[in-house]
Amino acid sequence: MSTLFLRTLREDPAEAEVPSHRLLVRAGYIRRVAPGGYAWLPLGRLVLDQVTRVVREEMIAIGVQEVSFPALLPREPYQRSGRWDEYGSEIFRLKDRRGADHLLGPTHEEMFTGLVRDLYSSYKDYPVSLFQVQWKFRDEARPRAGLLRGREFLMKDGYSFDLDDDGLAASYAGYRAAYQRIFERLGVEVRIVNATAGAMGGSASEEFLAPTPVGEDTFAACECGYAANIEAVTTPIPDSPNSRTPGESQVLDTPDTPTIDSLVDVLNTRRAGGHDGWQAADTLKNIVLTVDGELLIIGVPGDREVDLRRVEAALYPATVALFDDFGSRPDLVRGYLGPQGELKARYLVDPRVVPGSAWVTGANEPGRHAIDVVCGRDFTPDGTIEAVVVRTGDPCPRCAGPLELRRGVEVGHVFQLGRRYSDVFGLDALGPDGRPLRVTMGSYGIGLSRVLATVVEQHHDENGICWPTSVAPADVHLVGLGDREAVASLAGELERSGLRVLFDDRTGVSAGVRFADAELIGVPVVVVAGRRLAEGYVEVRERVGGTREDVAVGALAEAVRARLR
Amino acid sequence: MSTLFLRTLREDPAEAEVPSHRLLVRAGYIRRVAPGGYAWLPLGRLVLDQVTRVVREEMIAIGVQEVSFPALLPREPYQRSGRWDEYGSEIFRLKDRRGADHLLGPTHEEMFTGLVRDLYSSYKDYPVSLFQVQWKFRDEARPRAGLLRGREFLMKDGYSFDLDDDGLAASYAGYRAAYQRIFERLGVEVRIVNATAGAMGGSASEEFLAPTPVGEDTFAACECGYAANIEAVTTPIPDSPNSRTPGESQVLDTPDTPTIDSLVDVLNTRRAGGHDGWQAADTLKNIVLTVDGELLIIGVPGDREVDLRRVEAALYPATVALFDDFGSRPDLVRGYLGPQGELKARYLVDPRVVPGSAWVTGANEPGRHAIDVVCGRDFTPDGTIEAVVVRTGDPCPRCAGPLELRRGVEVGHVFQLGRRYSDVFGLDALGPDGRPLRVTMGSYGIGLSRVLATVVEQHHDENGICWPTSVAPADVHLVGLGDREAVASLAGELERSGLRVLFDDRTGVSAGVRFADAELIGVPVVVVAGRRLAEGYVEVRERVGGTREDVAVGALAEAVRARLR
């Protein structure tokens, strides 16, 4: 440590918002050098190498082969797949000196598909599975949270290529199990949640979310074990459509009811339909959207807000926007829209709007609403859609128990792309009968630098980082307080025994500062070689738990090993 | 090999211009996926990892510490150092979604200087030396020659920080010696040549050039051991100015002498000055340039061409251009310019134009030249400049022997930057007396992917690559022709003995193709397990030299090891 390129900080860096960012900077692992860009100092490189090593080992163990692609990619394949447009401002784009468009590749489905097509031609070549470890770039609107959301981050992306759906399912299961082993080895607690595929396309898809309060992703979880990200939560269909039997539909004058609440108040005051138990959940709110330029109206219970991200996920890959050009469509009476009569556009409803359910909704005339408008009698939707904001206490789709909303960091993602990319690039294998078989693909990612930060989020205390042994920059942190030569000789012995030693040989730094640094840096076992070294004893401290014990020098290596296990 | 993601090619790829490109693609190490962009296949990753490992070991051995910087960098530090403008179209530039300028860093002097300034403050912290291994980007006008000049390439860049010139000299010597060990271990023959610093700035600078016919750099070398790149060659001053004693300067009418040759013909025909031995080397050619917008005239012997790259190197960092606006300067008589009389601009001469030497030059009047114009008598230059094209046979500056011009690939570069960057960023250390010391820096680079290609340029034959053991993707290439189970068991034994085995377990591929693949792929030792395996014998072939010998299975591992040494 007397020569290590390291400076620990006592104060939190001003810009650091989350514990991992604060601690990794303070303990001298990383340093911010640009917006969303970090330099990795020597200790930081060590822990990042540890994470990478574990991931690489588990990839090789399931037979995935390592390759490397350029990060700077030509536009053409991404234009063909549609992602050049889909990615919008999320990716970095640039022109070369000849004016040709390029991107800094976010993920490489297009390139891997092209490479396999280039090398392989026969069914005998398959299955094959490839991965790379690469620094990737994303033009984050607001780079924040240190390594959790940087503009340049290390990622392992893997791709499987199979001849049929069973093969894809087997590849997917292999990666999924490898990911579980990886996170277990790295000490990262994860929940595997159902996910929609987002901009990646495809069908089956799961995310590995690491629960932590600073996570940017919200997921729904139930005590029964169900977990899904918000886009993928499904709504169980309610048993009984209504608590009361609706009568004939009636139109009422309802002036000055600009909000659901004011409408409900008016209905209760007037005892509309003969009762005063009206609630927001009895009303049907109709939202007008454009989907790839076509009108779509969505009906949801009035006590619910529409979650546009869920709508987008449900309608992927279409482009969804709120419609606001009511001037051009006088038949759409803003604020008083209802689905009864002839439908004005495609009409989808929340799954709670079941056949037989009765609703208060707009009467398609200014200032008027209709009550007892019954689904299946007075209107017939074109289908259902998961469109509303998921709330704590909503019923679990598996067991109907109450859902809980939790925050997590997405550390891994596995999904079955199917034939989206092989269709675009014509990736076929010549089958045994001489006919082409279209290859089916999976895509599997782990954010390595993000995982590292997540380890810190899940393993720290008020004094610093508490690394799991698998990620720690060293096995043992040796603080030498006694005779310099004797301590140096002890450091050498520990190293020769195969332990990785971080040796604090600094002079002119107080013991208190050195102990504080050891806690901040977070190596699992701290050995203090002080006065009793002359008698042949040192103190062994565990970073987690804080136990301290004097150990004879002759038994030290084994004592350290025992604590690492 | 039955599952390895590999396809060897019998034909050369159309776009491949040099042996390393042809062979690395044909043997399945790399694949072109974009202009100047290559995917590294599994075998390619192995050899690149080997090169990286050797470089990393030698860096650590001299106490250099590894860090990592982002590749995507903000404009500001490069604007401050002046390199944002200097790099012109050679670098990739891009804007983020907020419109802020960025570059893909070519080298990281600015960033390392800022980081050290950020962490270190006292003289006690120094010296320190840091390196990183990073994929870098350069917007090559014409990406060619495969890995020798790609747009994305792996580089090791290192930076030293010292308190004084002696410290810098020691750091420089340390890197220089480490680079010699690296190239020796990798089997790359190099010549260390004096170099000018080019766009990097600074003083002492040497390049490691690997001689090969496909190299893009030309360097001058002498049997005495002297070597320099063309920009850095110096011209020894000739002993005697002239073979004859010049008379008084005379002006002659010389119509229709647009070229040096036609002028020399006229002089000899007329026996000007009383003799007919005039040669082009007796004439003084005056070239008008602009240097950062100011006029500069350079006088060189008429048998020499001006090498603008050498002029630029001599005048670095000024911008040099040929002057062509003679209309605006009627005093500069185009084609008949001479230095005699009042100088019209700053005037520098080739070192061969020594005091006392006599020249034929323009008379500053259309259609007239002057003879016996003597340097120091009839004109006085402002200084000398290395401006002319270096030719084979030019005198060596060290021993005056004939120089030879050779081609090489620049695989490494070491130079003493001095205080260029520490001045720009104010990198000081607080000295023992409390006064700031300005830090002095060195910068040291090795192109790892380029080195890999250079290994192939220097180690191949008509059948394929001949890897040195240190770089080879495996120690032994096992071709199994006999009993499958026995061969697989042999492969296992070799691996357990610690050898890295590339096992050709393919079926349905002829023995001829498999031998050809082994030669193409280029592992140093090939073991053929054929019919005699049942008797306990295999054939051991050396890739280089082609020796073949039957070896008992029990002695195989040791026999392979002996050949690897």
Side-chain angles (χ1 to χ4, degrees), chain A residues 3 5 7 31 39-40 45 65 67-68 70-72 89 96-98 102 118-119 125 139 141 151-152, chain B residues 3 5 7 31 39-40 45 65 67-68 70-72 89 96-98 102 118-119 125 139 141 151-152:
Chain A
T3 54
F5 189 59
R7 280 296 172 274
R31 200 86 169 187
W40 294 78
R45 278 228 51 96
Q65 301 182 54
V67 300
S68 289
L72 179 72
S89 55
D96 69 13
R97 63 203 293 163
R98 294 176 190 168
H102 290 74
D118 191 19
L119 259 71
D125 298 328
D139 194 356
R151 298 212 293 187
E152 187 164 346
Chain B
T3 54
F5 189 59
R7 280 295 171 274
R31 200 85 168 185
W40 294 77
R45 277 229 50 96
Q65 301 184 52
V67 300
S68 288
L72 180 70
S89 57
D96 69 12
R97 63 203 294 162
R98 294 175 191 170
H102 290 73
D118 192 18
L119 259 71
D125 298 329
D139 194 355
R151 299 212 294 188
E152 188 166 344

Side-chain angles (χ1 to χ4, degrees), chain B residues 6-32 38 41 144-148 212-214 452-454 456-457 459-467 519-521:
Chain B
L6 168 75
R7 280 295 171 274
T8 56
L9 307 176
R10 292 288 150 253
E11 304 293 325
D12 287 333
E15 80 278 11
E17 297 176 5
V18 298
S20 63
H21 190 187
R22 281 199 291 275
L23 291 171
L24 287 168
V25 171
R26 281 186 49 203
Y29 288 88
I30 60 170
R31 200 85 168 185
R32 183 181 178 279
Y38 294 86
L41 305 184
R144 61 172 285 274
L147 302 179
L148 289 178
T212 145
V214 304
L452 180 68
T454 305
V456 178
E457 292 295 342
H459 299 273
H460 71 272
D461 61 20
E462 66 281 13
N463 296 324
I465 301 170
C466 309
W467 292 113
E519 300 224 291
L520 184 57
I521 290 170

Side-chain angles (χ1 to χ4, degrees), chain A residues 112-123:
Chain A
F112 275 81
T113 310
L115 183 67
V116 171
R117 179 163 174 262
D118 191 19
L119 259 71
Y120 277 0
S121 54
S122 160
Y123 73 96

Side-chain angles (χ1 to χ4, degrees), chain A residues 151-222:
Chain A
R151 298 212 293 187
E152 187 164 346
F153 50 95
L154 191 62
M155 188 164 164
K156 187 286 299 175
D157 45 331
Y159 306 87
S160 67
F161 299 84
D162 282 280
L163 292 178
D164 53 35
D165 294 351
D166 287 349
L168 171 56
S171 294
Y172 182 90
Y175 272 99
R176 190 180 190 277
Y179 277 26
Q180 289 178 295
R181 284 190 296 273
I182 286 167
F183 293 121
E184 195 184 324
R185 286 180 65 182
L186 298 176
V188 178
E189 180 209 339
V190 290
R191 293 296 291 272
I192 302 178
V193 305
N194 295 322
T196 54
M200 306 298 299
S203 44
S205 166
E206 287 168 297
E207 286 175 4
F208 290 72
L209 293 185
T212 145
V214 303
E216 287 195 320
D217 285 302
T218 304
F219 66 101
C222 177

Side-chain angles (χ1 to χ4, degrees), chain A residues 101 104 173 188 214-215 233 261 282 322 397 400 413 443-444 472 528-529 565:
Chain A
D101 280 315
L104 296 177
V188 178
V214 303
V233 170
D261 284 348
D282 297 324
L322 281 172
H413 200 161
S443 163
Y444 316 91
V528 182
R565 280 191 289 264

Side-chain angles (χ1 to χ4, degrees), chain A residues 234-562:
Chain A
T234 53
T235 305
I237 297 166
D239 291 338
S240 55
N242 286 95
S243 53
R244 50 180 275 280
T245 309
E248 281 301 292
S249 164
Q250 296 174 44
V251 174
L252 307 175
D253 277 318
T254 53
D256 303 325
T257 53
T259 64
I260 299 283
D261 284 348
S262 57
L263 173 62
V264 168
D265 281 349
V266 165
L267 294 176
N268 283 329
T269 305
R270 294 202 208 154
R271 294 184 57 83
H275 81 128
D276 60 3
W278 297 102
Q279 295 178 358
D282 297 324
T283 67
L284 183 65
K285 196 157 61 175
N286 294 289
I287 311 294
V288 189
L289 305 172
T290 61
V291 177
D292 282 347
E294 299 278 308
L295 275 195
L296 171 70
I297 303 176
I298 292 181
V300 304
D303 64 332
R304 293 278 173 169
E305 298 304 318
V306 165
D307 183 337
L308 273 184
R309 282 177 314 155
R310 296 190 78 213
V311 174
E312 280 173 350
L315 300 175
Y316 178 84
T319 303
V320 177
L322 281 172
F323 177 76
D324 58 4
D325 187 17
F326 285 89
S328 71
R329 287 288 300 260
D331 58 325
L332 300 178
V333 185
R334 188 172 206 166
Y336 298 93
L337 207 55
Q340 60 277 43
E342 200 185 336
L343 286 178
K344 279 112 189 141
R346 187 155 171 253
Y347 188 60
L348 299 176
V349 293
D350 181 80
R352 292 168 189 83
V353 184
V354 292
S357 61
W359 303 90
V360 180
T361 187
N364 295 314
E365 295 172 64
R368 308 190 81 186
H369 280 90
I371 66 169
D372 287 344
V373 178
V374 175
C375 178
R377 181 186 77 182
D378 303 315
F379 68 96
T380 307
D382 295 311
T384 62
I385 184 170
E386 292 291 346
V388 304
V389 171
V390 175
R391 297 196 295 226
T392 298
D394 276 354
C396 168
R398 191 188 290 170
C399 76
L403 289 178
E404 189 191 348
L405 297 189
R406 299 186 64 185
R407 300 191 72 77
V409 172
E410 184 191 332
V411 286
H413 200 161
V414 290
F415 48 91
Q416 301 187 16
L417 293 170
R419 297 180 175 79
R420 170 172 175 187
Y421 292 93
S422 51
D423 281 346
V424 170
F425 296 97
L427 174 60
D428 290 334
L430 206 62
D433 58 358
R435 288 202 200 150
L437 296 164
R438 179 113 318 167
V439 170
T440 181
M441 292 169 55
S443 163
Y444 316 91
I446 288 187
L448 303 179
S449 43
R450 181 184 279 185
V451 164
L452 179 68
T454 305
V455 171
V456 178
E457 292 297 341
Q458 293 188 343
H459 299 272
H460 71 272
D461 61 21
E462 66 279 13
N463 297 324
I465 301 170
C466 309
W467 292 113
T469 303
S470 59
V471 189
D475 297 317
V476 55
H477 185 132
L478 174 62
V479 180
L481 299 177
D483 177 70
R484 284 179 64 77
E485 271 188 38
V487 177
S489 145
L490 182 63
E493 272 172 49
L494 289 172
E495 273 182 349
R496 278 189 298 278
S497 85
L499 291 168
R500 300 173 305 141
V501 182
L502 179 61
F503 178 24
D504 186 352
D505 61 342
R506 292 177 293 176
T507 51
V509 181
S510 76
V513 166
R514 296 164 78 182
F515 293 146
D517 278 348
E519 299 223 292
L520 184 58
I521 290 170
V523 171
V525 177
V526 179
V527 170
V528 182
R531 276 166 309 166
R532 291 199 68 201
L533 180 57
E535 307 159 31
Y537 284 91
V538 293
E539 187 183 80
V540 176
R541 303 180 177 182
E542 286 184 79
R543 175 65 185 87
V544 177
T547 62
R548 301 177 180 200
E549 196 182 345
D550 278 2
V551 170
V553 166
L556 178 59
E558 188 42 48
V560 171
R561 265 181 237 286

Side-chain angles (χ1 to χ4, degrees), chain B residues 98-174:
Chain B
R98 294 175 191 170
D101 280 317
H102 290 73
L103 73 165
L104 296 176
T107 64
H108 278 56
E109 280 78 2
E110 288 82 350
M111 306 306 293
F112 276 80
T113 309
L115 184 66
V116 171
R117 180 164 173 261
D118 192 18
L119 259 71
Y120 276 0
S121 54
S122 160
Y123 73 98
K124 294 177 192 164
D125 298 329
Y126 292 87
V128 66
S129 200
L130 305 170
F131 79 101
Q132 66 175 346
V133 172
Q134 187 184 49
W135 289 95
K136 296 194 183 290
F137 303 84
R138 214 161 285 182
D139 194 355
E140 293 292 344
R142 200 173 79 90
R144 61 172 285 274
L147 302 179
L148 289 178
R149 188 161 284 276
R151 299 212 294 188
E152 188 166 344
F153 51 95
L154 192 61
M155 188 163 164
K156 189 285 298 174
D157 45 332
Y159 306 87
S160 66
F161 300 84
D162 281 279
L163 292 179
D164 52 36
D165 294 350
D166 286 350
L168 171 56
S171 295
Y172 183 90

